[in-house]
Amino acid sequence: MATDLHGPVTPSAGTGPAAVRVSGLTRSFGDRAVIDHLELSMGQGEFVALLGRSGCGKSTLLRVLAGLDREIAGEVFVPRRRAVAFQAPRLMPWKRVWRNVLLGLPGRPDRARAEEALREVGLGHRTDAWPATLSGGEAQRASLARALVRAPDLLLLDEPFGALDALTRITAQRLVAELWQRRGCAVLLVTHDVEEALLLADRVLVMDRGMIAYERTVGLERPRDLAGPGFAALRAELLGRLGVEGAVSGARDTPETDGGPPRQPASATPEANGGLIRPTASDTPETADGPRAAPVSA
Amino acid sequence: MSVSHAPPDTSLPPPLPPSLERVVPLGSRRSWSPRWLRRAWGPVLLLVAWQVASATGVLRPDTLGSPGAMAATARDLLADGTLPSAMLVSVRRVAVGLLVGVVAGTGLALVSGLSRLGEDLLDATVQMLRSIPWVGAIPLFIIWLGIGEAPKIALIALGVAFHLYLNVYAGIRGVDPQLVEAGDSLGLGRWGLVRHVVLPGALPGAMTGLRYALATAWLALVFGEQINADDGIGFLMNQAREFLRTDVIVVCLVVYAVLGLVADFIVRSLERLLLQWRPTFTGQ
Ligand SMILES: Nc1ncnc2c1ncn2[C@@H]1O[C@H](COP(=O)(O)OP(=O)(O)OP(=O)(O)O)[C@@H](O)[C@H]1O
Ligand SMILES: [Mg+2]
């Protein structure tokens, strides 16, 4: 795996082989399109953070990328080995924590493997507990361990640090960063925390009205520091993008003016429902690296 | 020292603001007696009242004998071997009927719970049959199956199967879809999902079904044995009715009750073992 992709700065992440390629993705509930002609690509080993207001469709996008939601239109390519840590921990209440961690792994993985993963998230002392007896943050960390133990090529994290106290949160963030560095998997992290996004990600996306409304490459040196140079400016910029709706859309993202592919009529791919998520072992390299800080239009 | 206010007076507890309320720790309300003692005093009181009523002549011996007389009858029945052999026959009937009913009910529930095709084929039929009062089918069973063991076991199995079907089916359909999705994302296949997610999730429902089924099984046994039998507890009771032996009837009823309690205890233990992952409300 391309671990050498992780230089201090990875502006070229998009030029390597793609880990995720999504084009023209639409997902509707009823006649409301929660995801509307969304375009997204992630390079192998790229760490992308996804921001956006509550209810804008981040979890929905994650479920699509995980291959769990196939009632979609558009093209989605993702690696075969994916792991998800859901917004809610979703541990099987009838399995002890360590069995939850090993659930679904091929073969007969031994308990030590689960214990190691749990120790990494600071749950070494609770391996034998029933999930119903875990605290909210503990359950979330167990769910994180369950995703990490799978050694995926694409790791999908849906607000995995939401229920953690400040200290545990920093530890968990560091853990995810370390694992990412070590394993070189692509990570898509959904978060509401701009600082977290800037600390961890190569690239930050802002989702709005069913599309990636804004994209920003984070060119800061790693390891990053909240007080580091450039951090405050980036944070202010992103907060501005998140905060005022008029300012964001008014800036410059009328889809037609941009260089992206023309918006396809929804009827162009109606028959292509269901089996569209295809594992991409032999995917074409992703070369569409236009101006990275420009909004990606659908 | 430049303390401007008076030092606190430690001899008096500070006055409480009227809006506050003390949270009483549970430990200080610890009960004054062990659980089993509190559970036992109801039955004991009943026995004492019965004995008193018999001794004072309020309860005449030909209506209902005294507890002492009952104990003597029970001892006689045990000593000459009638009661043990009758119990054995009845317990075997319940066990076989229960087994057949549990297997059939659970099997049908799995078919219609796990597959939409199975549901379409089975569920409506089972729901329709369920609304027939099964006791009413006894004459049919006798005509079809004769008067041997078969109709009694069929009766028990029928009552049991419906309870299991309904509860296991509801349990399967009540499994949290988010957990199924999580299992899916972890790479579990169809069989893996059934084994690790759906069936454990349906287990609480299945246990409820089993308890209902047990109660029904004893009921069906009583019905079955009252109508035609030449052995078993029901037969003993029928015989006693002809000789107006209320004491034997009462002893048989007590035996039914004890067997029911034992069965319930077994299911409870099973539940404690299988559902230990579930934190339950245990009362206050
Ligand atoms: N199964 C569903 N049926 C109908 N509407 C749905 C369904 N799932 C999600 N939605 C709607 O789609 C929208 C996007 O949901 P999603 O869970 O993706 O939001 P989100 O961006 O993850 O929000 P949050 O930050 O609060 O988690 C919401 O308005 C939600 O109500
Ligand atoms: Mg969400």
Side-chain angles (χ1 to χ4, degrees), chain B residues 28-271:
Chain B
S28 68
R29 294 189 350 188
R30 182 58 50 77
S31 61
W32 37 270
S33 63
R35 283 285 304 275
W36 63 267
L37 200 67
R38 280 186 288 159
R39 277 168 169 259
W41 79 270
V44 168
L45 210 68
L46 203 67
L47 268 183
V48 168
W50 181 4
Q51 181 69 50
V52 167
S54 295
T56 52
V58 176
L59 203 59
R60 291 169 19 152
D62 50 349
T63 310
L64 191 63
S66 72
M70 295 296 155
T73 309
R75 205 170 43 238
D76 292 347
L77 287 175
L78 282 173
D80 68 4
T82 15
L83 194 57
S85 76
M87 273 166 72
L88 199 70
V89 168
S90 291
V91 167
R92 200 167 52 217
R93 281 179 187 146
V94 168
V96 175
L98 203 62
L99 191 74
V100 174
V102 166
V103 169
T106 312
L108 289 176
L110 290 180
V111 170
S112 65
L114 294 177
S115 92
R116 203 144 323 148
L117 178 70
E119 181 187 14
D120 293 345
L121 293 179
L122 274 179
D123 192 53
T125 319
V126 178
Q127 299 286 354
M128 187 189 74
L129 289 178
R130 180 181 70 103
S131 57
I132 299 173
W134 47 267
V135 178
I138 292 177
L140 264 187
F141 282 158
I142 293 176
I143 294 172
W144 287 342
L145 302 172
I147 54 167
E149 290 299 281
K152 301 177 189 65
I153 289 173
L155 196 66
I156 296 172
L158 193 70
V160 166
F162 284 128
H163 280 301
L164 267 142
Y165 177 85
L166 288 178
N167 285 284
V168 174
Y169 176 72
I172 290 175
R173 287 305 164 100
V175 169
D176 185 352
Q178 295 218 324
L179 292 183
V180 177
E181 197 180 87
D184 194 1
S185 83
L186 295 175
L188 292 178
R190 192 175 156 77
W191 169 236
L193 280 178
V194 168
R195 189 172 140 216
H196 294 294
V197 185
V198 176
L199 291 187
L203 205 56
M207 295 313 289
T208 311
L210 191 58
R211 287 177 89 159
Y212 279 122
L214 265 178
T216 303
W218 290 114
L219 201 64
L221 178 76
V222 175
F223 275 115
E225 291 190 335
Q226 295 273 320
I227 285 165
N228 53 68
D230 43 20
D231 51 7
I233 301 175
F235 168 72
L236 220 58
M237 284 174 81
N238 257 355
Q239 224 181 11
R241 188 189 64 205
E242 289 182 0
F243 299 107
L244 297 176
R245 291 283 305 270
T246 52
D247 53 344
V248 176
I249 295 181
V250 171
V251 167
C252 287
L253 287 177
V254 170
V255 168
Y256 272 139
V258 169
L259 290 179
L261 281 179
V262 169
D264 196 58
F265 173 76
I266 293 174
V267 175
R268 269 170 197 265
S269 311
L270 207 62
E271 235 169 56

Side-chain angles (χ1 to χ4, degrees), chain A residues 59 87 158-159:
Chain A
S59 297
Q87 201 165 356
D158 198 349
E159 296 180 42

Side-chain angles (χ1 to χ4, degrees), chain A residues 47 81-86 89 91 100-103 105 113-123 139-158 160-161 164 171-189 200, chain B residues 185-186:
Chain A
F47 198 131
R81 289 149 63 86
R82 311 177 288 264
V84 199
F86 294 97
L91 302 170
N100 258 290
V101 170
L102 296 184
L103 186 61
L105 285 179
R113 198 156 152 208
E115 280 176 344
E116 193 200 323
L118 285 164
R119 218 171 307 119
E120 277 185 317
V121 295
L123 272 183
Q140 221 171 23
R141 280 182 281 153
S143 161
L144 187 62
R146 184 173 67 174
L148 295 177
V149 84
R150 264 140 246 279
D153 293 330
L154 174 62
L155 180 59
L156 301 161
L157 303 174
D158 198 349
F161 314 126
L164 303 185
T171 320
Q173 285 170 354
R174 199 169 293 151
L175 174 76
V176 167
E178 261 173 40
L179 266 144
W180 166 67
Q181 302 261 7
R182 200 159 72 222
R183 302 211 177 130
C185 55
V187 180
L188 182 63
L189 168 75
L200 293 172
Chain B
S185 83
L186 295 175

Side-chain angles (χ1 to χ4, degrees), chain A residues 50 56-64 87 158-159 190 207:
Chain A
L50 182 61
C56 73
K58 304 181 296 295
S59 297
T60 308
L61 176 61
L62 220 75
R63 291 182 62 245
V64 170
Q87 201 165 356
D158 198 349
E159 296 180 42
V190 172
M207 200 171 163

